[in-house]
Short mmCIF file of all heavy atoms in Angstrom, two decimals:
data_model
loop_
_atom_site.label_atom_id
_atom_site.label_comp_id
_atom_site.label_asym_id
_atom_site.label_seq_id
_atom_site.Cartn_x
_atom_site.Cartn_y
_atom_site.Cartn_z
N PHE A 159 82.66 348.54 77.49
CA PHE A 159 83.75 347.66 77.91
C PHE A 159 85.08 348.12 77.28
O PHE A 159 86.09 348.22 77.99
CB PHE A 159 83.43 346.24 77.62
CG PHE A 159 84.56 345.30 78.07
CD1 PHE A 159 84.48 344.83 79.42
CD2 PHE A 159 85.65 344.91 77.26
CE1 PHE A 159 85.49 344.03 79.86
CE2 PHE A 159 86.47 344.07 77.73
CZ PHE A 159 86.54 343.54 79.01
N ALA A 160 85.06 348.44 75.99
CA ALA A 160 86.31 348.93 75.36
C ALA A 160 86.76 350.24 75.90
O ALA A 160 88.00 350.41 76.14
CB ALA A 160 85.98 349.06 73.83
N PHE A 161 85.84 351.13 76.27
CA PHE A 161 86.23 352.36 76.85
C PHE A 161 86.84 352.14 78.22
O PHE A 161 87.88 352.71 78.54
CB PHE A 161 84.99 353.33 77.02
CG PHE A 161 85.26 354.59 77.67
CD1 PHE A 161 85.95 355.62 77.06
CD2 PHE A 161 84.82 354.71 78.94
CE1 PHE A 161 86.17 356.77 77.71
CE2 PHE A 161 85.12 355.96 79.69
CZ PHE A 161 85.81 356.91 79.04
N LEU A 162 86.22 351.33 79.01
CA LEU A 162 86.73 351.10 80.34
C LEU A 162 88.12 350.35 80.36
O LEU A 162 88.97 350.63 81.14
CB LEU A 162 85.74 350.21 81.20
CG LEU A 162 84.45 350.95 81.51
CD1 LEU A 162 83.45 350.02 82.20
CD2 LEU A 162 84.79 352.13 82.49
N ASP A 163 88.26 349.50 79.30
CA ASP A 163 89.56 348.84 79.15
C ASP A 163 90.68 349.90 78.84
O ASP A 163 91.79 349.86 79.34
CB ASP A 163 89.45 347.85 78.03
CG ASP A 163 90.71 347.07 77.76
OD1 ASP A 163 91.38 346.60 78.79
OD2 ASP A 163 91.15 346.94 76.64
N GLU A 164 90.32 350.84 78.02
CA GLU A 164 91.31 351.93 77.69
C GLU A 164 91.61 352.86 78.96
O GLU A 164 92.71 353.25 79.09
CB GLU A 164 90.86 352.72 76.57
CG GLU A 164 90.85 351.96 75.26
CD GLU A 164 92.27 351.39 74.85
OE1 GLU A 164 93.28 352.07 75.00
OE2 GLU A 164 92.31 350.22 74.43
N VAL A 165 90.60 353.11 79.69
CA VAL A 165 90.77 353.85 81.00
C VAL A 165 91.70 353.01 81.89
O VAL A 165 92.59 353.65 82.49
CB VAL A 165 89.37 354.16 81.66
CG1 VAL A 165 89.65 354.73 83.01
CG2 VAL A 165 88.60 355.15 80.80
N HIS A 166 91.50 351.83 82.03
CA HIS A 166 92.34 350.91 82.82
C HIS A 166 93.73 351.03 82.38
O HIS A 166 94.66 351.10 83.15
CB HIS A 166 91.76 349.52 82.81
CG HIS A 166 92.68 348.50 83.40
ND1 HIS A 166 93.45 347.70 82.66
CD2 HIS A 166 92.94 348.18 84.68
CE1 HIS A 166 94.23 346.92 83.46
NE2 HIS A 166 93.91 347.21 84.69
N GLN A 167 93.96 350.90 81.03
CA GLN A 167 95.27 350.89 80.48
C GLN A 167 96.05 352.27 80.76
O GLN A 167 97.20 352.31 80.85
CB GLN A 167 95.28 350.66 79.02
CG GLN A 167 95.02 349.29 78.59
CD GLN A 167 95.00 349.02 77.12
OE1 GLN A 167 95.68 349.71 76.36
NE2 GLN A 167 94.30 348.00 76.70
N ALA A 168 95.23 353.35 80.86
CA ALA A 168 95.83 354.66 81.06
C ALA A 168 96.62 354.74 82.47
O ALA A 168 97.44 355.48 82.64
CB ALA A 168 94.78 355.72 81.12
N PHE A 169 96.19 353.85 83.38
CA PHE A 169 96.83 353.85 84.73
C PHE A 169 97.93 352.81 84.83
O PHE A 169 98.48 352.61 85.95
CB PHE A 169 95.71 353.54 85.83
CG PHE A 169 94.71 354.73 85.90
CD1 PHE A 169 93.48 354.69 85.35
CD2 PHE A 169 95.16 355.84 86.62
CE1 PHE A 169 92.62 355.74 85.43
CE2 PHE A 169 94.22 356.93 86.77
CZ PHE A 169 92.95 356.82 86.16
N ILE A 170 98.25 352.08 83.83
CA ILE A 170 99.35 351.11 83.91
C ILE A 170 100.58 351.69 83.28
O ILE A 170 100.55 352.28 82.20
CB ILE A 170 98.89 349.87 83.11
CG1 ILE A 170 97.65 349.20 83.77
CG2 ILE A 170 100.06 348.82 82.98
CD1 ILE A 170 97.22 347.95 83.31
N ILE A 171 101.71 351.54 83.97
CA ILE A 171 102.92 352.08 83.52
C ILE A 171 103.35 351.45 82.27
O ILE A 171 103.31 350.25 82.09
CB ILE A 171 104.04 351.88 84.64
CG1 ILE A 171 103.63 352.66 85.92
CG2 ILE A 171 105.39 352.34 84.11
CD1 ILE A 171 104.52 352.30 87.10
N GLY A 172 103.73 352.27 81.30
CA GLY A 172 104.16 351.84 79.99
C GLY A 172 102.97 351.58 79.04
O GLY A 172 103.28 351.22 77.80
N ARG A 173 101.81 351.83 79.45
CA ARG A 173 100.68 351.70 78.55
C ARG A 173 99.96 353.09 78.50
O ARG A 173 100.18 353.93 79.36
CB ARG A 173 99.67 350.64 79.07
CG ARG A 173 100.20 349.25 79.30
CD ARG A 173 100.42 348.48 78.06
NE ARG A 173 99.27 348.32 77.10
CZ ARG A 173 98.51 347.30 77.05
NH1 ARG A 173 98.64 346.27 77.87
NH2 ARG A 173 97.53 347.33 76.12
N ASP A 174 99.15 353.27 77.45
CA ASP A 174 98.36 354.46 77.38
C ASP A 174 96.93 354.10 76.86
O ASP A 174 96.82 353.16 76.08
CB ASP A 174 99.00 355.53 76.63
CG ASP A 174 99.38 355.11 75.19
OD1 ASP A 174 99.33 353.89 74.91
OD2 ASP A 174 99.74 356.04 74.42
N GLY A 175 95.95 354.79 77.24
CA GLY A 175 94.64 354.63 76.78
C GLY A 175 94.35 355.53 75.63
O GLY A 175 94.67 356.74 75.64
N ARG A 176 93.90 354.98 74.47
CA ARG A 176 93.67 355.80 73.30
C ARG A 176 92.24 355.65 72.84
O ARG A 176 91.66 354.55 72.82
CB ARG A 176 94.55 355.37 72.19
CG ARG A 176 96.03 355.64 72.50
CD ARG A 176 96.88 355.22 71.31
NE ARG A 176 98.28 355.45 71.75
CZ ARG A 176 99.25 355.21 70.90
NH1 ARG A 176 99.09 354.74 69.65
NH2 ARG A 176 100.52 355.39 71.32
N ILE A 177 91.67 356.82 72.42
CA ILE A 177 90.24 356.75 71.92
C ILE A 177 90.22 355.95 70.55
O ILE A 177 89.21 355.30 70.27
CB ILE A 177 89.67 358.12 71.88
CG1 ILE A 177 88.16 358.10 71.64
CG2 ILE A 177 90.30 358.94 70.69
CD1 ILE A 177 87.40 357.65 72.88
N VAL A 178 91.28 356.02 69.83
CA VAL A 178 91.37 355.26 68.57
C VAL A 178 91.20 353.77 68.83
O VAL A 178 90.50 353.06 68.04
CB VAL A 178 92.63 355.60 67.81
CG1 VAL A 178 92.81 354.67 66.58
CG2 VAL A 178 92.76 357.03 67.40
N ASP A 179 91.78 353.26 69.88
CA ASP A 179 91.60 351.83 70.29
C ASP A 179 90.13 351.51 70.56
O ASP A 179 89.73 350.45 70.22
CB ASP A 179 92.52 351.45 71.39
CG ASP A 179 93.98 351.35 70.97
OD1 ASP A 179 94.23 351.21 69.77
OD2 ASP A 179 94.89 351.29 71.88
N VAL A 180 89.50 352.44 71.19
CA VAL A 180 88.16 352.19 71.57
C VAL A 180 87.24 352.07 70.27
O VAL A 180 86.42 351.22 70.18
CB VAL A 180 87.49 353.37 72.48
CG1 VAL A 180 86.02 353.25 72.61
CG2 VAL A 180 88.19 353.41 73.76
N MET A 181 87.57 352.98 69.29
CA MET A 181 86.84 352.89 68.05
C MET A 181 87.17 351.62 67.27
O MET A 181 86.27 351.00 66.70
CB MET A 181 87.17 354.16 67.18
CG MET A 181 86.67 355.38 67.72
SD MET A 181 86.81 356.83 66.64
CE MET A 181 88.58 357.15 66.87
N ILE A 182 88.39 351.13 67.21
CA ILE A 182 88.80 349.93 66.58
C ILE A 182 88.11 348.80 67.31
O ILE A 182 87.57 347.86 66.57
CB ILE A 182 90.30 349.70 66.61
CG1 ILE A 182 90.99 350.80 65.65
CG2 ILE A 182 90.64 348.40 66.08
CD1 ILE A 182 92.49 350.89 65.82
N ASP A 183 88.18 348.73 68.61
CA ASP A 183 87.47 347.64 69.30
C ASP A 183 85.97 347.64 69.03
O ASP A 183 85.36 346.62 68.71
CB ASP A 183 87.72 347.77 70.79
CG ASP A 183 89.25 347.60 71.20
OD1 ASP A 183 90.01 347.11 70.22
OD2 ASP A 183 89.58 348.05 72.26
N SER A 184 85.38 348.74 69.04
CA SER A 184 83.93 348.90 68.79
C SER A 184 83.62 348.45 67.41
O SER A 184 82.55 347.87 67.11
CB SER A 184 83.42 350.33 69.08
OG SER A 184 83.61 350.62 70.45
N LEU A 185 84.52 348.84 66.39
CA LEU A 185 84.24 348.44 65.10
C LEU A 185 84.24 346.92 64.85
O LEU A 185 83.46 346.31 64.12
CB LEU A 185 85.36 349.07 64.16
CG LEU A 185 85.23 348.69 62.63
CD1 LEU A 185 83.93 349.25 62.06
CD2 LEU A 185 86.50 349.20 61.94
N GLY A 186 85.17 346.26 65.60
CA GLY A 186 85.22 344.79 65.57
C GLY A 186 83.89 344.17 65.94
O GLY A 186 83.36 343.29 65.37
#
Side-chain angles (χ1 to χ4, degrees):
F159 183 85
F161 175 76
L162 291 174
D163 182 46
E164 292 302 316
V165 169
H166 169 258
Q167 287 183 26
F169 291 101
I170 297 183
I171 297 171
R173 304 285 308 261
D174 56 347
R176 296 182 183 182
I177 194 71
V178 173
D179 286 343
V180 174
M181 290 188 286
I182 292 169
D183 298 341
S184 298
L185 177 66

